[in-house]
Amino acid sequence: MSVRRTFALLSAALAIFSGASVAHANERHFTYTYETGVLPPGVKELEIWTTPRIGKDDYFVRFDQRMEFEVGVTDNLMTSLYLNAKAVTADVAPGVRESTYEFDGVSSEWKYKLSDPVADAIGLGFYGEFTGSTNEVEIEAKILADKQIGNLLFAGNLVFEQEWEFEPEETEAEQVVDLDFAAAYALSPGVRIGVEVRNTNEIAEGEWEHSALFAGPVVSYVADGWWVAATLMPQLPALKKSDEETGSRVLSAHEKLEARLLLSFQI
């Protein structure tokens, strides 16, 4: 085989490898905890979210659905648009169970990557999201950090949310501060298993109302042109709960069990 032919074959292989690497630049290995990866400029993905939230003192099942269109803007910046909906079935009185479904507004997301979890000492990024619906506005900001060490991947987020709900006689404001942490081990180039931990804190009228804690397993699979990730998150005994809570968990604002499934395709 000539040197020229060998060089051509190696160049083609490198191009294929590079293309596969770029195609998965924004793959997610966790469903609650964000990583710093962004889509390359012009690359587009369609991401489908399903989040079941199950169990309160009485019967309660809620499904949150999000449809997300993502696009890379620059080498370090991506944006996306979400359509949100939710369906709830719950006991509202003894012997009375009701089901509702509603469109839950639209969201705009922006994510900027500062450093890389492999090439740099630590991956860092910023995330911002604005959500508007007919009776509520929410602004969410995250500081993202992640690190790849061999087959181990670590990620953590500091999250702040400001919500305004428009009631008939007043506007209610609420702040939420979350701490998210996740770790996963690569069983193969496409499969990872790990754990996610989520601590969510609600502040209303300047008062720290509760600190709920969730933790559970996560699994992800990455293939050519698509990926999927799933997490199961039971609620653990609360770090802090309000006087209205009768048990060890925060069931006024959260559920006994949360789960999330993400499915994404390049388009």
Side-chain angles (χ1 to χ4, degrees):
M1 183 181 292
S2 67
V3 173
R4 179 178 295 179
R5 182 176 175 80
T6 301
F7 180 79
L9 289 173
L10 289 175
S11 298
L14 179 60
I16 293 171
F17 176 80
S18 299
S21 177
V22 168
H24 302 308
N26 190 47
E27 66 199 27
R28 290 184 58 182
H29 304 98
F30 313 110
T31 67
Y32 288 86
T33 310
Y34 279 71
E35 300 158 70
T36 59
V38 297
L39 288 173
V43 175
K44 305 174 185 68
E45 283 190 353
L46 186 65
E47 195 168 299
I48 302 168
W49 297 42
T50 300
T51 304
R53 301 165 57 173
I54 301 170
K56 291 184 180 289
D57 289 331
D58 297 313
Y59 183 89
F60 183 93
V61 176
R62 169 174 166 172
F63 274 70
D64 294 340
Q65 297 288 146
R66 306 188 86 182
M67 180 77 73
E68 178 185 9
F69 172 75
E70 300 180 328
V71 61
V73 179
T74 70
D75 288 338
N76 295 319
L77 178 67
M78 63 173 282
T79 186
S80 64
L81 179 70
Y82 296 83
L83 299 178
N84 308 309
K86 66 180 178 183
V88 180
T89 298
D91 288 346
V92 296
V96 181
R97 184 169 295 175
E98 290 185 354
S99 296
T100 60
Y101 177 85
E102 64 181 271
F103 176 68
D104 207 23
V106 297
S107 303
S108 175
E109 170 197 312
W110 295 82
K111 184 163 71 164
Y112 186 79
K113 179 180 177 180
L114 290 172
S115 58
D116 188 81
V118 177
D120 300 310
I122 190 171
L124 290 174
F126 295 112
Y127 173 103
E129 182 180 318
F130 173 83
T131 300
S133 64
T134 55
N135 66 337
E136 188 176 355
V137 170
E138 178 183 321
I139 297 174
E140 181 178 351
K142 302 177 190 276
I143 298 175
L144 315 178
D146 55 359
K147 182 60 182 175
Q148 178 79 46
I149 304 174
N151 288 330
L152 287 171
L153 174 64
F154 301 93
N157 301 162
L158 174 60
V159 185
F160 177 79
E161 298 176 23
Q162 175 68 58
E163 302 174 6
W164 295 272
E165 187 171 352
F166 307 116
E167 297 293 340
E169 297 182 358
E170 64 177 346
T171 298
E172 295 185 358
E174 178 181 283
Q175 296 82 43
V176 176
V177 178
D178 284 358
L179 297 171
D180 302 327
F181 177 79
Y185 181 81
L187 296 177
S188 70
V191 179
R192 291 180 186 263
I193 60 170
V195 64
E196 286 198 76
V197 179
R198 177 173 171 243
N199 171 228
T200 179
N201 302 268
E202 185 176 307
I203 302 167
E205 299 180 354
E207 296 291 331
W208 182 26
E209 295 199 341
H210 63 250
S211 181
L213 186 63
F214 297 82
V218 59
V219 60
S220 65
Y221 176 73
V222 177
D224 191 17
W226 67 280
W227 56 263
V228 61
T231 305
L232 190 66
M233 298 269 277
Q235 187 180 166
L236 305 180
L239 302 180
K240 174 181 171 57
K241 57 189 184 70
S242 62
D243 294 337
E244 65 183 87
E245 304 291 350
T246 57
S248 61
R249 294 170 290 189
V250 178
L251 298 181
S252 58
H254 300 285
E255 291 71 40
K256 297 177 181 178
L257 176 68
E258 284 192 22
R260 180 168 290 169
L261 175 68
L262 304 181
L263 178 62
S264 182
F265 300 91
Q266 285 195 5
I267 56 177

